[in-house]
Amino acid sequence: MKKKTGLIILAVVIVIGGWLWSSYNKLVTTNESVDNQWAQVETQYQRRFDLIPNLVASVQGTMTQEQEVFGTLAEARTRYSGAQSVNDKVAAATGVESALGRLLVVMENYPELKSVEATQALMVQLEGTENRISVERSRFNDSVKSFNIMIKRVPTNLVATWFGFTEKNYFAAVAAAAEVPGVEFNN
């Protein structure tokens, strides 16, 4: 009888241990997927940051009175470079987007820029990069959703708590993103 009880206890321990092992590994895998997807977002941000100085250089001579926009853009890029956490980088990236949006609106006031081939090529590349950023952000949010659901579901939430897995933040648009920038067409 003691041997049978011992085997039952051993079987229960093995099943619980296997479940803990499996749950922990799923959490690690999903956490790494979120981190990987954020790296994809950052790759697209880097592409954007590489294009911005070229765009600024191509229009700066024409738009000498718009130096404030260029300064704001440079400052926003610097803040992103110094950001440590994903949340800080998201906030800094939003600042870059805001400054870039202002640059694009200001550029609309300079019709002669539309005929400059280098500026046009850079704008097309930047537009493509912005689309890639949007796709990667969406994928990031999907990864975050999967991870957050996993760590909230019973009984995996117990393993997540024991091993310190915490909820991840979604990439969300800032309130200013809902505002439509004003555009003037001077012909």
Side-chain angles (χ1 to χ4, degrees):
M1 187 74 163
K2 287 183 181 181
K3 189 174 187 178
K4 199 174 195 180
T5 304
L7 288 174
I8 291 173
I9 291 173
L10 180 62
V12 168
V13 168
I14 289 173
V15 168
I16 290 173
W19 171 78
L20 283 171
W21 182 319
S22 174
S23 294
Y24 177 79
N25 285 338
K26 278 187 200 176
L27 287 166
V28 168
T29 300
T30 308
N31 187 51
E32 287 300 314
S33 292
V34 170
D35 291 346
N36 177 58
Q37 194 54 54
W38 178 251
Q40 296 303 317
V41 172
E42 283 195 310
T43 298
Q44 296 308 318
Y45 281 158
Q46 186 59 52
R47 178 173 164 72
R48 175 202 281 164
F49 293 149
D50 291 345
L51 289 171
I52 288 172
N54 295 331
L55 180 62
V56 168
S58 74
V59 300
Q60 200 165 19
T62 306
M63 299 169 44
T64 53
Q65 69 271 31
E66 307 294 348
Q67 292 301 315
E68 179 186 340
V69 173
F70 301 130
T72 303
L73 196 51
E75 179 185 319
R77 288 182 68 221
T78 301
R79 270 197 316 270
Y80 183 86
S81 297
Q84 298 299 315
S85 70
V86 171
N87 290 340
D88 291 343
K89 287 183 179 191
V90 166
T94 301
V96 171
E97 288 166 10
S98 175
L100 185 58
R102 285 183 35 216
L103 174 64
L104 298 178
V105 168
V106 167
M107 285 178 63
E108 289 293 330
N109 292 323
Y110 294 88
E112 65 272 13
L113 287 175
K114 295 177 185 176
S115 64
V116 176
E117 192 173 315
T119 302
Q120 284 294 340
L122 288 167
M123 290 300 296
V124 168
Q125 288 181 35
L126 190 59
E127 182 179 299
T129 299
E130 293 301 321
N131 289 336
R132 287 185 200 105
I133 288 170
S134 178
V135 167
E136 296 302 340
R137 283 180 183 165
S138 178
R139 290 177 180 165
F140 172 76
N141 281 345
D142 289 344
S143 295
V144 167
K145 177 185 173 189
S146 295
F147 179 78
N148 287 346
I149 287 171
M150 186 180 294
I151 67 167
K152 290 177 182 178
R153 283 189 175 161
V154 176
T156 309
N157 65 341
L158 299 172
V159 177
T161 301
W162 292 336
F163 290 104
F165 289 97
T166 58
E167 190 171 352
K168 304 276 187 183
N169 292 327
Y170 288 98
F171 191 102
V174 294
E179 297 175 19
V180 177
V183 178
E184 294 178 29
F185 292 99
N186 297 329
N187 291 329

